[in-house]
Amino acid sequence: MSYTMWKDVPVPFYMSVYFFHVLNPKEILNGEKPMVEQKGPYVYRKRIQKDNITFHPNNTVSYREYRRYYFEPSMSAGNESDVVTIPNMLVLGAAVMMENLPFAVRLMISATFKTFKEGPFLTKTVGELMWGYDSGLVDFLNKYLPGMLPSSGKFGLFAEFNNSNTGLFTIFTGQDDIRNVHKVDSWNGLTQLNYWRTPQCNMINGTAGQMWPPFMTKESTLPFYSPDACRSMELVYQRPGKLKGIPLYRFVAPKTLFANGTDYAPNEGFCPCRQSGLLNVSSCRHNSPVFISHPHFFNADPVLLDYVQGLNPTEDEHGLFIDIHPQTGVPLNVSIRLQLNLYMKRVSGITGYIDGPILNTFHTNLVILPAVMEFMQYGFITLGLATIIIAALVYHRAKVKLPHGAASF
């Protein structure tokens, strides 16, 4: 029964997406505090299918898990045609990534954004933001800097999630030791990661996040590896409960889960850090300044709530938890709630297109640079060939003029 439930998950999974609609984008550029309004949920039914299931002699089994998402209008608070305004991750993220480039290069980048009419904020439909939209800038980058972006097609927040798999998992079957059942042996052939700065933070711990070993106690923890979060996470016991008469244990995220290295030393390997409550995932997200947290900065440093108007964190709405049947390790209720955050800052030289004083820096992307570099490389090649030819001619003439019997060095 356990194998059947693992192979073909019998219960539906749903992904509820909320957007923070920016109410004052122009004022933000003039230095005012962002004001946001939560939109959603936009609910998607998640279809999970395991494929390439292969059993191995060492009591492990490997597989790939594919996922597809289907919009559920009846469960949503709006439609995919709803229009929202959010920060332009391409522009603002790239600005931070390129703040240390020469000033002249940043000016060229700013001009590139103007050419492609890319500003610091983006107003699109929910469907476009989720699954991709046409962008001249994206087409340009994919042409001149292939591999720079995570997608070779349209740019969307979840464009790479749909019709994708979570990597090659190899887990223990528990045939020789039931305490190891569902625990991860390797992921994509790796027994540890290379994203982080310490061996402890790079460890692949626990299960793949769908089932756990049986016979849990209140002292048990719930470790699992999340490819989307690029790390292992561990939940702790909070309280007992019941779901339709079935006993359960509720496990929740400890406050230390996303704490910075100053507040919780074992997390130093996830740094460079900012305030507690933010996990820097730039090392596994193409170096873009992206952070994950609990929604509305729940369990985070209170100072983060002063940066934005419109956030109201509560445990009931924004806490992360998993309800487990302790005797079998089967989850009865799962609510993994995470928030995607973009770090923004002033970057001098990225100006001109964004009007206003704060603009001396808002954010920008990559791009006219590759075209310039492509032109320059041919110029350098031509200059190099000319230099070699001239040097050869000079050397030849000098050699011809040497008197008989003289030696050249």
PDB file of all heavy atoms in Angstrom, residues 267-301:
ATOM      1  N   ASN A 267      23.801  28.427  10.386  1.00  0.00           N
ATOM      2  CA  ASN A 267      23.333  28.956   9.096  1.00  0.00           C
ATOM      3  C   ASN A 267      24.353  29.871   8.426  1.00  0.00           C
ATOM      4  O   ASN A 267      24.071  30.439   7.369  1.00  0.00           O
ATOM      5  CB  ASN A 267      22.020  29.716   9.287  1.00  0.00           C
ATOM      6  CG  ASN A 267      20.832  28.792   9.430  1.00  0.00           C
ATOM      7  OD1 ASN A 267      20.962  27.576   9.308  1.00  0.00           O
ATOM      8  ND2 ASN A 267      19.651  29.365   9.685  1.00  0.00           N
ATOM      9  N   GLU A 268      25.512  30.024   9.027  1.00  0.00           N
ATOM     10  CA  GLU A 268      26.538  30.896   8.446  1.00  0.00           C
ATOM     11  C   GLU A 268      26.891  30.446   7.030  1.00  0.00           C
ATOM     12  O   GLU A 268      27.236  31.270   6.167  1.00  0.00           O
ATOM     13  CB  GLU A 268      27.782  30.891   9.330  1.00  0.00           C
ATOM     14  CG  GLU A 268      28.924  31.753   8.813  1.00  0.00           C
ATOM     15  CD  GLU A 268      28.583  33.227   8.764  1.00  0.00           C
ATOM     16  OE1 GLU A 268      27.809  33.688   9.629  1.00  0.00           O
ATOM     17  OE2 GLU A 268      29.091  33.914   7.855  1.00  0.00           O
ATOM     18  N   GLY A 269      26.790  29.153   6.774  1.00  0.00           N
ATOM     19  CA  GLY A 269      27.123  28.642   5.447  1.00  0.00           C
ATOM     20  C   GLY A 269      26.173  29.081   4.358  1.00  0.00           C
ATOM     21  O   GLY A 269      26.491  28.979   3.165  1.00  0.00           O
ATOM     22  N   PHE A 270      24.985  29.564   4.732  1.00  0.00           N
ATOM     23  CA  PHE A 270      24.024  30.052   3.742  1.00  0.00           C
ATOM     24  C   PHE A 270      24.247  31.529   3.404  1.00  0.00           C
ATOM     25  O   PHE A 270      23.522  32.081   2.579  1.00  0.00           O
ATOM     26  CB  PHE A 270      22.591  29.874   4.251  1.00  0.00           C
ATOM     27  CG  PHE A 270      22.177  28.437   4.425  1.00  0.00           C
ATOM     28  CD1 PHE A 270      21.762  27.969   5.655  1.00  0.00           C
ATOM     29  CD2 PHE A 270      22.206  27.553   3.355  1.00  0.00           C
ATOM     30  CE1 PHE A 270      21.379  26.648   5.828  1.00  0.00           C
ATOM     31  CE2 PHE A 270      21.831  26.230   3.506  1.00  0.00           C
ATOM     32  CZ  PHE A 270      21.414  25.774   4.749  1.00  0.00           C
ATOM     33  N   CYS A 271      25.192  32.155   4.063  1.00  0.00           N
ATOM     34  CA  CYS A 271      25.464  33.568   3.839  1.00  0.00           C
ATOM     35  C   CYS A 271      26.291  33.740   2.549  1.00  0.00           C
ATOM     36  O   CYS A 271      26.849  32.769   2.044  1.00  0.00           O
ATOM     37  CB  CYS A 271      26.188  34.166   5.036  1.00  0.00           C
ATOM     38  SG  CYS A 271      25.156  34.210   6.533  1.00  0.00           S
ATOM     39  N   PRO A 272      26.358  34.985   1.979  1.00  0.00           N
ATOM     40  CA  PRO A 272      26.071  36.252   2.642  1.00  0.00           C
ATOM     41  C   PRO A 272      24.600  36.421   2.996  1.00  0.00           C
ATOM     42  O   PRO A 272      23.727  36.150   2.184  1.00  0.00           O
ATOM     43  CB  PRO A 272      26.524  37.299   1.622  1.00  0.00           C
ATOM     44  CG  PRO A 272      26.521  36.583   0.299  1.00  0.00           C
ATOM     45  CD  PRO A 272      26.837  35.169   0.597  1.00  0.00           C
ATOM     46  N   CYS A 273      24.369  36.878   4.228  1.00  0.00           N
ATOM     47  CA  CYS A 273      23.023  36.972   4.775  1.00  0.00           C
ATOM     48  C   CYS A 273      22.600  38.432   4.935  1.00  0.00           C
ATOM     49  O   CYS A 273      23.429  39.338   5.000  1.00  0.00           O
ATOM     50  CB  CYS A 273      22.952  36.283   6.137  1.00  0.00           C
ATOM     51  SG  CYS A 273      23.344  34.523   6.121  1.00  0.00           S
ATOM     52  N   ARG A 274      21.300  38.592   5.051  1.00  0.00           N
ATOM     53  CA  ARG A 274      20.753  39.878   5.459  1.00  0.00           C
ATOM     54  C   ARG A 274      20.015  39.652   6.779  1.00  0.00           C
ATOM     55  O   ARG A 274      20.481  38.909   7.618  1.00  0.00           O
ATOM     56  CB  ARG A 274      19.871  40.448   4.352  1.00  0.00           C
ATOM     57  CG  ARG A 274      20.630  40.622   3.016  1.00  0.00           C
ATOM     58  CD  ARG A 274      19.931  41.564   2.085  1.00  0.00           C
ATOM     59  NE  ARG A 274      19.874  42.915   2.613  1.00  0.00           N
ATOM     60  CZ  ARG A 274      20.879  43.786   2.564  1.00  0.00           C
ATOM     61  NH1 ARG A 274      22.024  43.439   1.987  1.00  0.00           N
ATOM     62  NH2 ARG A 274      20.744  44.988   3.082  1.00  0.00           N
ATOM     63  N   GLN A 275      18.858  40.235   6.958  1.00  0.00           N
ATOM     64  CA  GLN A 275      18.144  40.055   8.219  1.00  0.00           C
ATOM     65  C   GLN A 275      17.690  38.600   8.369  1.00  0.00           C
ATOM     66  O   GLN A 275      17.473  37.893   7.381  1.00  0.00           O
ATOM     67  CB  GLN A 275      16.932  40.990   8.285  1.00  0.00           C
ATOM     68  CG  GLN A 275      17.275  42.473   8.363  1.00  0.00           C
ATOM     69  CD  GLN A 275      17.493  43.104   7.018  1.00  0.00           C
ATOM     70  OE1 GLN A 275      17.519  42.442   5.988  1.00  0.00           O
ATOM     71  NE2 GLN A 275      17.652  44.420   7.022  1.00  0.00           N
ATOM     72  N   SER A 276      17.514  38.158   9.602  1.00  0.00           N
ATOM     73  CA  SER A 276      16.976  36.830   9.845  1.00  0.00           C
ATOM     74  C   SER A 276      15.567  36.739   9.259  1.00  0.00           C
ATOM     75  O   SER A 276      14.785  37.693   9.299  1.00  0.00           O
ATOM     76  CB  SER A 276      16.919  36.544  11.352  1.00  0.00           C
ATOM     77  OG  SER A 276      18.183  36.141  11.828  1.00  0.00           O
ATOM     78  N   GLY A 277      15.291  35.568   8.713  1.00  0.00           N
ATOM     79  CA  GLY A 277      14.010  35.370   8.047  1.00  0.00           C
ATOM     80  C   GLY A 277      14.125  35.349   6.546  1.00  0.00           C
ATOM     81  O   GLY A 277      13.150  35.080   5.841  1.00  0.00           O
ATOM     82  N   LEU A 278      15.329  35.628   6.026  1.00  0.00           N
ATOM     83  CA  LEU A 278      15.578  35.641   4.578  1.00  0.00           C
ATOM     84  C   LEU A 278      16.667  34.628   4.237  1.00  0.00           C
ATOM     85  O   LEU A 278      17.735  34.643   4.837  1.00  0.00           O
ATOM     86  CB  LEU A 278      16.032  37.028   4.117  1.00  0.00           C
ATOM     87  CG  LEU A 278      15.035  38.182   4.277  1.00  0.00           C
ATOM     88  CD1 LEU A 278      15.726  39.503   3.972  1.00  0.00           C
ATOM     89  CD2 LEU A 278      13.828  37.985   3.358  1.00  0.00           C
ATOM     90  N   LEU A 279      16.390  33.766   3.284  1.00  0.00           N
ATOM     91  CA  LEU A 279      17.400  32.822   2.803  1.00  0.00           C
ATOM     92  C   LEU A 279      17.890  33.278   1.435  1.00  0.00           C
ATOM     93  O   LEU A 279      17.110  33.392   0.480  1.00  0.00           O
ATOM     94  CB  LEU A 279      16.818  31.407   2.699  1.00  0.00           C
ATOM     95  CG  LEU A 279      17.737  30.362   2.044  1.00  0.00           C
ATOM     96  CD1 LEU A 279      18.960  30.107   2.928  1.00  0.00           C
ATOM     97  CD2 LEU A 279      16.989  29.054   1.779  1.00  0.00           C
ATOM     98  N   ASN A 280      19.175  33.549   1.341  1.00  0.00           N
ATOM     99  CA  ASN A 280      19.784  33.984   0.095  1.00  0.00           C
ATOM    100  C   ASN A 280      19.977  32.780  -0.823  1.00  0.00           C
ATOM    101  O   ASN A 280      20.802  31.911  -0.568  1.00  0.00           O
ATOM    102  CB  ASN A 280      21.138  34.644   0.397  1.00  0.00           C
ATOM    103  CG  ASN A 280      21.775  35.257  -0.835  1.00  0.00           C
ATOM    104  OD1 ASN A 280      21.365  35.007  -1.958  1.00  0.00           O
ATOM    105  ND2 ASN A 280      22.787  36.072  -0.618  1.00  0.00           N
ATOM    106  N   VAL A 281      19.202  32.712  -1.915  1.00  0.00           N
ATOM    107  CA  VAL A 281      19.314  31.581  -2.843  1.00  0.00           C
ATOM    108  C   VAL A 281      19.954  31.999  -4.164  1.00  0.00           C
ATOM    109  O   VAL A 281      19.818  31.317  -5.174  1.00  0.00           O
ATOM    110  CB  VAL A 281      17.934  30.932  -3.110  1.00  0.00           C
ATOM    111  CG1 VAL A 281      17.402  30.268  -1.859  1.00  0.00           C
ATOM    112  CG2 VAL A 281      16.926  31.943  -3.654  1.00  0.00           C
ATOM    113  N   SER A 282      20.682  33.112  -4.158  1.00  0.00           N
ATOM    114  CA  SER A 282      21.303  33.597  -5.393  1.00  0.00           C
ATOM    115  C   SER A 282      22.308  32.600  -5.954  1.00  0.00           C
ATOM    116  O   SER A 282      22.497  32.510  -7.166  1.00  0.00           O
ATOM    117  CB  SER A 282      21.986  34.944  -5.150  1.00  0.00           C
ATOM    118  OG  SER A 282      22.976  34.835  -4.139  1.00  0.00           O
ATOM    119  N   SER A 283      22.970  31.824  -5.065  1.00  0.00           N
ATOM    120  CA  SER A 283      23.998  30.891  -5.528  1.00  0.00           C
ATOM    121  C   SER A 283      23.423  29.769  -6.377  1.00  0.00           C
ATOM    122  O   SER A 283      24.158  29.130  -7.137  1.00  0.00           O
ATOM    123  CB  SER A 283      24.748  30.298  -4.324  1.00  0.00           C
ATOM    124  OG  SER A 283      23.856  29.611  -3.461  1.00  0.00           O
ATOM    125  N   CYS A 284      22.130  29.510  -6.271  1.00  0.00           N
ATOM    126  CA  CYS A 284      21.518  28.463  -7.110  1.00  0.00           C
ATOM    127  C   CYS A 284      20.471  29.047  -8.038  1.00  0.00           C
ATOM    128  O   CYS A 284      19.657  28.309  -8.611  1.00  0.00           O
ATOM    129  CB  CYS A 284      20.915  27.356  -6.252  1.00  0.00           C
ATOM    130  SG  CYS A 284      19.506  27.863  -5.254  1.00  0.00           S
ATOM    131  N   ARG A 285      20.459  30.363  -8.200  1.00  0.00           N
ATOM    132  CA  ARG A 285      19.502  31.026  -9.080  1.00  0.00           C
ATOM    133  C   ARG A 285      20.222  32.031  -9.977  1.00  0.00           C
ATOM    134  O   ARG A 285      19.865  33.183 -10.062  1.00  0.00           O
ATOM    135  CB  ARG A 285      18.417  31.725  -8.252  1.00  0.00           C
ATOM    136  CG  ARG A 285      17.449  30.769  -7.550  1.00  0.00           C
ATOM    137  CD  ARG A 285      16.529  30.085  -8.550  1.00  0.00           C
ATOM    138  NE  ARG A 285      15.592  29.176  -7.894  1.00  0.00           N
ATOM    139  CZ  ARG A 285      15.783  27.872  -7.749  1.00  0.00           C
ATOM    140  NH1 ARG A 285      16.898  27.315  -8.204  1.00  0.00           N
ATOM    141  NH2 ARG A 285      14.891  27.102  -7.180  1.00  0.00           N
ATOM    142  N   HIS A 286      21.258  31.526 -10.640  1.00  0.00           N
ATOM    143  CA  HIS A 286      21.989  32.329 -11.634  1.00  0.00           C
ATOM    144  C   HIS A 286      22.547  33.623 -11.039  1.00  0.00           C
ATOM    145  O   HIS A 286      22.673  34.633 -11.729  1.00  0.00           O
ATOM    146  CB  HIS A 286      21.087  32.637 -12.829  1.00  0.00           C
ATOM    147  CG  HIS A 286      20.555  31.421 -13.516  1.00  0.00           C
ATOM    148  ND1 HIS A 286      21.212  30.781 -14.543  1.00  0.00           N
ATOM    149  CD2 HIS A 286      19.425  30.697 -13.302  1.00  0.00           C
ATOM    150  CE1 HIS A 286      20.511  29.735 -14.936  1.00  0.00           C
ATOM    151  NE2 HIS A 286      19.421  29.662 -14.204  1.00  0.00           N
ATOM    152  N   ASN A 287      22.839  33.613  -9.733  1.00  0.00           N
ATOM    153  CA  ASN A 287      23.411  34.762  -9.027  1.00  0.00           C
ATOM    154  C   ASN A 287      22.477  35.972  -8.970  1.00  0.00           C
ATOM    155  O   ASN A 287      22.918  37.082  -8.628  1.00  0.00           O
ATOM    156  CB  ASN A 287      24.756  35.183  -9.638  1.00  0.00           C
ATOM    157  CG  ASN A 287      25.841  34.154  -9.371  1.00  0.00           C
ATOM    158  OD1 ASN A 287      25.937  33.616  -8.273  1.00  0.00           O
ATOM    159  ND2 ASN A 287      26.648  33.869 -10.376  1.00  0.00           N
ATOM    160  N   SER A 288      21.209  35.795  -9.309  1.00  0.00           N
ATOM    161  CA  SER A 288      20.256  36.893  -9.177  1.00  0.00           C
ATOM    162  C   SER A 288      19.969  37.115  -7.693  1.00  0.00           C
ATOM    163  O   SER A 288      19.956  36.166  -6.909  1.00  0.00           O
ATOM    164  CB  SER A 288      18.968  36.580  -9.931  1.00  0.00           C
ATOM    165  OG  SER A 288      18.406  35.368  -9.473  1.00  0.00           O
ATOM    166  N   PRO A 289      19.738  38.357  -7.268  1.00  0.00           N
ATOM    167  CA  PRO A 289      19.578  38.670  -5.835  1.00  0.00           C
ATOM    168  C   PRO A 289      18.200  38.263  -5.307  1.00  0.00           C
ATOM    169  O   PRO A 289      17.375  39.104  -4.954  1.00  0.00           O
ATOM    170  CB  PRO A 289      19.788  40.184  -5.796  1.00  0.00           C
ATOM    171  CG  PRO A 289      19.303  40.643  -7.142  1.00  0.00           C
ATOM    172  CD  PRO A 289      19.686  39.565  -8.114  1.00  0.00           C
ATOM    173  N   VAL A 290      17.961  36.971  -5.254  1.00  0.00           N
ATOM    174  CA  VAL A 290      16.656  36.441  -4.873  1.00  0.00           C
ATOM    175  C   VAL A 290      16.751  35.798  -3.493  1.00  0.00           C
ATOM    176  O   VAL A 290      17.718  35.090  -3.182  1.00  0.00           O
ATOM    177  CB  VAL A 290      16.163  35.407  -5.908  1.00  0.00           C
ATOM    178  CG1 VAL A 290      14.857  34.764  -5.468  1.00  0.00           C
ATOM    179  CG2 VAL A 290      15.977  36.078  -7.270  1.00  0.00           C
ATOM    180  N   PHE A 291      15.746  36.041  -2.668  1.00  0.00           N
ATOM    181  CA  PHE A 291      15.666  35.489  -1.323  1.00  0.00           C
ATOM    182  C   PHE A 291      14.312  34.820  -1.146  1.00  0.00           C
ATOM    183  O   PHE A 291      13.318  35.247  -1.736  1.00  0.00           O
ATOM    184  CB  PHE A 291      15.809  36.593  -0.263  1.00  0.00           C
ATOM    185  CG  PHE A 291      17.155  37.256  -0.233  1.00  0.00           C
ATOM    186  CD1 PHE A 291      17.538  38.145  -1.227  1.00  0.00           C
ATOM    187  CD2 PHE A 291      18.053  36.996   0.798  1.00  0.00           C
ATOM    188  CE1 PHE A 291      18.780  38.763  -1.201  1.00  0.00           C
ATOM    189  CE2 PHE A 291      19.299  37.611   0.830  1.00  0.00           C
ATOM    190  CZ  PHE A 291      19.667  38.497  -0.170  1.00  0.00           C
ATOM    191  N   ILE A 292      14.270  33.760  -0.328  1.00  0.00           N
ATOM    192  CA  ILE A 292      12.987  33.190   0.037  1.00  0.00           C
ATOM    193  C   ILE A 292      12.767  33.385   1.531  1.00  0.00           C
ATOM    194  O   ILE A 292      13.720  33.506   2.310  1.00  0.00           O
ATOM    195  CB  ILE A 292      12.874  31.702  -0.344  1.00  0.00           C
ATOM    196  CG1 ILE A 292      13.925  30.850   0.360  1.00  0.00           C
ATOM    197  CG2 ILE A 292      12.928  31.508  -1.842  1.00  0.00           C
ATOM    198  CD1 ILE A 292      13.760  29.356   0.113  1.00  0.00           C
ATOM    199  N   SER A 293      11.493  33.429   1.912  1.00  0.00           N
ATOM    200  CA  SER A 293      11.120  33.644   3.305  1.00  0.00           C
ATOM    201  C   SER A 293       9.745  33.040   3.512  1.00  0.00           C
ATOM    202  O   SER A 293       9.123  32.521   2.582  1.00  0.00           O
ATOM    203  CB  SER A 293      11.083  35.147   3.627  1.00  0.00           C
ATOM    204  OG  SER A 293      10.015  35.772   2.920  1.00  0.00           O
ATOM    205  N   HIS A 294       9.259  33.109   4.743  1.00  0.00           N
ATOM    206  CA  HIS A 294       7.854  32.810   4.970  1.00  0.00           C
ATOM    207  C   HIS A 294       7.023  33.986   4.440  1.00  0.00           C
ATOM    208  O   HIS A 294       7.501  35.127   4.398  1.00  0.00           O
ATOM    209  CB  HIS A 294       7.581  32.609   6.461  1.00  0.00           C
ATOM    210  CG  HIS A 294       8.293  31.420   7.041  1.00  0.00           C
ATOM    211  ND1 HIS A 294       8.094  30.138   6.595  1.00  0.00           N
ATOM    212  CD2 HIS A 294       9.205  31.322   8.045  1.00  0.00           C
ATOM    213  CE1 HIS A 294       8.834  29.303   7.289  1.00  0.00           C
ATOM    214  NE2 HIS A 294       9.532  29.991   8.166  1.00  0.00           N
ATOM    215  N   PRO A 295       5.770  33.741   4.037  1.00  0.00           N
ATOM    216  CA  PRO A 295       4.932  34.845   3.532  1.00  0.00           C
ATOM    217  C   PRO A 295       4.785  35.974   4.547  1.00  0.00           C
ATOM    218  O   PRO A 295       4.731  35.736   5.758  1.00  0.00           O
ATOM    219  CB  PRO A 295       3.591  34.152   3.273  1.00  0.00           C
ATOM    220  CG  PRO A 295       3.934  32.723   3.016  1.00  0.00           C
ATOM    221  CD  PRO A 295       5.102  32.436   3.921  1.00  0.00           C
ATOM    222  N   HIS A 296       4.751  37.183   4.022  1.00  0.00           N
ATOM    223  CA  HIS A 296       4.584  38.399   4.834  1.00  0.00           C
ATOM    224  C   HIS A 296       5.681  38.530   5.888  1.00  0.00           C
ATOM    225  O   HIS A 296       5.489  39.197   6.905  1.00  0.00           O
ATOM    226  CB  HIS A 296       3.205  38.414   5.503  1.00  0.00           C
ATOM    227  CG  HIS A 296       2.076  38.672   4.543  1.00  0.00           C
ATOM    228  ND1 HIS A 296       1.249  39.778   4.617  1.00  0.00           N
ATOM    229  CD2 HIS A 296       1.640  37.950   3.479  1.00  0.00           C
ATOM    230  CE1 HIS A 296       0.347  39.723   3.648  1.00  0.00           C
ATOM    231  NE2 HIS A 296       0.568  38.620   2.939  1.00  0.00           N
ATOM    232  N   PHE A 297       6.831  37.889   5.648  1.00  0.00           N
ATOM    233  CA  PHE A 297       7.969  37.924   6.574  1.00  0.00           C
ATOM    234  C   PHE A 297       7.597  37.389   7.962  1.00  0.00           C
ATOM    235  O   PHE A 297       8.101  37.864   8.988  1.00  0.00           O
ATOM    236  CB  PHE A 297       8.548  39.333   6.686  1.00  0.00           C
ATOM    237  CG  PHE A 297       9.123  39.848   5.394  1.00  0.00           C
ATOM    238  CD1 PHE A 297       8.807  41.118   4.937  1.00  0.00           C
ATOM    239  CD2 PHE A 297       9.965  39.055   4.637  1.00  0.00           C
ATOM    240  CE1 PHE A 297       9.339  41.598   3.742  1.00  0.00           C
ATOM    241  CE2 PHE A 297      10.497  39.525   3.439  1.00  0.00           C
ATOM    242  CZ  PHE A 297      10.183  40.795   2.989  1.00  0.00           C
ATOM    243  N   PHE A 298       6.732  36.377   7.979  1.00  0.00           N
ATOM    244  CA  PHE A 298       6.403  35.717   9.240  1.00  0.00           C
ATOM    245  C   PHE A 298       7.670  35.098   9.826  1.00  0.00           C
ATOM    246  O   PHE A 298       8.481  34.519   9.117  1.00  0.00           O
ATOM    247  CB  PHE A 298       5.348  34.634   8.998  1.00  0.00           C
ATOM    248  CG  PHE A 298       5.080  33.752  10.187  1.00  0.00           C
ATOM    249  CD1 PHE A 298       4.425  34.257  11.305  1.00  0.00           C
ATOM    250  CD2 PHE A 298       5.488  32.421  10.197  1.00  0.00           C
ATOM    251  CE1 PHE A 298       4.183  33.456  12.411  1.00  0.00           C
ATOM    252  CE2 PHE A 298       5.249  31.603  11.287  1.00  0.00           C
ATOM    253  CZ  PHE A 298       4.600  32.125  12.401  1.00  0.00           C
ATOM    254  N   ASN A 299       7.856  35.215  11.125  1.00  0.00           N
ATOM    255  CA  ASN A 299       9.016  34.690  11.843  1.00  0.00           C
ATOM    256  C   ASN A 299      10.331  35.333  11.398  1.00  0.00           C
ATOM    257  O   ASN A 299      11.404  34.756  11.596  1.00  0.00           O
ATOM    258  CB  ASN A 299       9.136  33.167  11.692  1.00  0.00           C
ATOM    259  CG  ASN A 299       8.535  32.426  12.870  1.00  0.00           C
ATOM    260  OD1 ASN A 299       8.148  33.035  13.863  1.00  0.00           O
ATOM    261  ND2 ASN A 299       8.461  31.111  12.765  1.00  0.00           N
ATOM    262  N   ALA A 300      10.258  36.511  10.817  1.00  0.00           N
ATOM    263  CA  ALA A 300      11.472  37.196  10.360  1.00  0.00           C
ATOM    264  C   ALA A 300      11.764  38.399  11.262  1.00  0.00           C
ATOM    265  O   ALA A 300      10.968  38.756  12.147  1.00  0.00           O
ATOM    266  CB  ALA A 300      11.313  37.651   8.912  1.00  0.00           C
ATOM    267  N   ASP A 301      12.902  39.001  11.052  1.00  0.00           N
ATOM    268  CA  ASP A 301      13.278  40.211  11.784  1.00  0.00           C
ATOM    269  C   ASP A 301      12.176  41.265  11.577  1.00  0.00           C
ATOM    270  O   ASP A 301      11.831  41.605  10.443  1.00  0.00           O
ATOM    271  CB  ASP A 301      14.609  40.729  11.243  1.00  0.00           C
ATOM    272  CG  ASP A 301      15.191  41.852  12.085  1.00  0.00           C
ATOM    273  OD1 ASP A 301      14.416  42.662  12.631  1.00  0.00           O
ATOM    274  OD2 ASP A 301      16.423  41.931  12.199  1.00  0.00           O
TER     275      ASP A 301
END
